[in-house]
Amino acid sequence: MKVGVIGCGFFAQNHLAAWQAIKEISSVIVCDQQVELAEAAKTQFGVRQVYDEAEEMLANEDLDFVDIVTTPSSHRLLVEMAARYGRHVICQKPLAPSIEDAKAMVDACKLAGVTLMVHENFRWQGIIQRAKQLIDSGRIGDPFLAQISFRTGYNVYSNQPYLAEDERLVLYDMGTHIFDLVRFFMGEVSSLYAQTHQVNPDIQGEDAATVLLCHAAGASVAAMNYVSAVEHDEFIQIPIRIEGSHGSLEIRRDYQLNVVSNKQMTPYHVPPVHYSWGSSLGGAVMESVVNIQKHWVECLNTGTEPHTSGADNLKTLELVFGSYESAAKSIVCHIR
Ligand code: NAD
Ligand code: 89V
């Protein structure tokens, strides 16, 4: 398969390294408005061709799909451009700055008959996949409570300086990951109540948020911040605790996964698959990027809908924007 990668910045390095590791990918073309970044990608990843304009690449290259790794303000333009050229398309999270934009993108891809997947990769970390397998096997019975936290003091602004300028920060950037995990483990959300805070005075948006989410059978508590001062910073690992009718499951730091089933505890150690090129964000990220991109290739080969399709991701984005509404008005936001 031939992929056209649009955006050769910070996170694209992980996408490009992962495409090299996937045998079905025969050719990678790159595009970046900052053409020097595209040229750097050509050198580092053995890319065949370089562009600085997406439309020129789409017009000149017979691509099987496009992989968009730009920041959200350009996502709608680029997704709809790929759809116009009849190209299947992956787009990084957050899909769009509004639910209306996101719905228009999903509709444009459906109308064009192309597949849209959001590169929402946290659920593709090996330890998350293992946890889901154990829960689906019935080891803890029926889940009724999830506690999912992503709290770190890691300087996220060093690799992603735009985050310090975003008026909407942790719910928009991290909530898209956490709410996808909430839905992955607990199902769809009926209502939510959110509170946000700005702790760091040197940024524009909220850097701390706590959200209570209600499901048909239980509740989730999602806590996220980019400002924690803790003894063991677990950055990019996600402490999770799921409680069920017959037991509980807990993901702890150092890739430890403990299951209590009918009062018996079974420990599992689920470290990420190691990839030689690694990722500045840690091994679990690299593993998740390879996994979601392999999933994408399998979906194209079998004609099946990706787990985090554009249509599916609308339900996650509803929780992001619903959380902002809830926090702004101090109300319970009813989702469906
Ligand atoms: P970045 O700013 O480092 O890179 C984006 C690149 O896209 C830039 O080089 C820019 O020149 C280029 N670009 C922008 N618009 C373009 C256009 N119209 N045509 C061609 N090139 C264009 O951003 P980043 O930190 O790599 O983040 C990119 C996306 O990845 C964001 O949406 C971010 O939220 C997401 N991200 C995801 C993860 C994850 O999946 N875990 C981690 C970090 C970032
Ligand atoms: O993973 C991400 O989406 C990044 C983060 C700062 C969390 O690493 O934005």
Side-chain angles (χ1 to χ4, degrees):
M1 294 181 184
K2 200 159 124 180
V3 51
V5 177
I6 304 175
C8 300
F10 165 65
F11 202 71
Q13 309 309 306
N14 297 289
H15 288 228
L16 289 162
W19 290 131
Q20 280 195 318
I22 297 172
K23 62 180 170 37
E24 291 88 344
I25 304 301
S26 57
S27 174
V28 178
I29 313 285
V30 296
C31 168
D32 197 299
Q33 287 176 334
Q34 301 175 72
V35 70
E36 67 279 9
L37 295 179
E39 292 291 353
K42 178 177 183 179
T43 306
Q44 184 174 357
F45 296 102
V47 164
R48 190 172 63 75
Q49 186 61 31
V50 165
Y51 290 88
D52 61 4
E53 278 303 324
E55 183 116 34
E56 187 186 356
M57 178 180 77
L58 284 160
N60 292 343
E61 300 291 343
D62 181 23
L63 301 170
D64 291 288
F65 63 92
V66 171
D67 181 15
I68 299 169
V69 205
T70 62
T71 41
S73 60
S74 54
H75 288 175
R76 179 170 178 179
L77 173 86
L78 294 170
V79 166
E80 292 183 348
M81 188 188 293
R84 273 201 312 279
Y85 280 85
R87 301 296 184 237
H88 301 299
V89 52
I90 304 172
C91 184
Q92 255 293 347
K93 45 61 61 179
L95 179 60
S98 74
I99 202 72
E100 293 76 17
D101 285 314
K103 284 177 178 173
M105 295 153 77
V106 170
D107 291 346
C109 290
K110 186 175 181 181
L111 195 63
V114 300
T115 302
L116 168 62
M117 180 181 81
V118 177
H119 203 289
E120 176 40 66
N121 49 55
F122 272 30
R123 66 162 70 186
W124 286 100
Q125 294 182 17
I127 196 166
I128 300 289
Q129 291 285 313
R130 187 76 178 99
K132 178 68 170 163
Q133 287 163 4
L134 289 164
I135 291 170
D136 287 352
S137 72
R139 287 288 294 277
I140 67 169
D142 299 323
F144 63 83
L145 173 63
Q147 294 169 280
I148 304 182
S149 304
F150 187 104
R151 296 172 294 180
T152 183
Y154 178 84
N155 179 6
V156 296
Y157 312 103
S158 57
N159 294 319
Q160 300 167 250
Y162 55 86
L163 291 176
E165 305 307 319
D166 287 350
E167 294 287 336
R168 298 178 302 180
L169 175 55
V170 80
L171 282 169
Y172 190 47
D173 185 60
M174 178 47 61
T176 53
H177 291 307
I178 301 300
F179 295 149
D180 182 67
L181 292 177
V182 163
R183 294 180 52 235
F184 186 53
F185 285 117
M186 297 295 291
E188 299 310 333
V189 173
S190 55
S191 61
L192 60 81
Y193 180 76
Q195 281 206 334
T196 62
H197 303 282
Q198 179 184 337
V199 180
N200 179 344
D202 300 324
I203 60 174
Q204 297 304 311
E206 86 287 353
D207 52 0
T210 308
V211 189
L212 170 66
L213 306 105
C214 299
H215 310 272
S220 298
V221 180
M224 58 202 88
N225 75 54
Y226 291 158
V227 72
S228 272
V230 292
E231 182 189 2
H232 296 292
D233 197 317
E234 301 170 13
F235 180 72
I236 220 64
Q237 293 187 55
I238 313 153
I240 293 177
R241 182 167 180 165
I242 313 281
E243 300 196 9
S245 54
H246 304 323
S248 64
L249 176 145
E250 192 166 9
I251 294 178
R252 294 180 168 176
R253 62 190 176 90
D254 301 331
Y255 306 108
Q256 191 59 35
L257 193 168
N258 294 338
V259 174
V260 174
S261 189
N262 297 317
K263 301 192 190 312
Q264 291 294 317
M265 199 279 272
T266 308
Y268 300 84
H269 185 230
V270 192
V273 172
H274 176 71
Y275 290 95
S276 59
W277 62 86
S279 165
S280 60
L281 293 180
V285 166
M286 201 62 246
E287 176 190 48
S288 71
V289 170
V290 173
N291 287 347
I292 192 172
Q293 293 180 199
K294 281 183 175 176
H295 167 65
W296 166 257
V297 168
E298 184 183 346
C299 288
L300 291 190
N301 279 334
T302 56
T304 51
E305 187 84 346
H307 291 182
T308 56
S309 67
D312 174 82
N313 194 253
L314 291 178
K315 297 174 204 166
T316 298
L317 280 178
E318 282 177 342
L319 304 183
V320 171
F321 299 123
S323 294
Y324 280 116
E325 183 185 5
S326 170
K329 299 175 182 173
S330 194
I331 57 168
V332 172
C333 186
H334 295 281
I335 303 294
R336 52 174 45 83

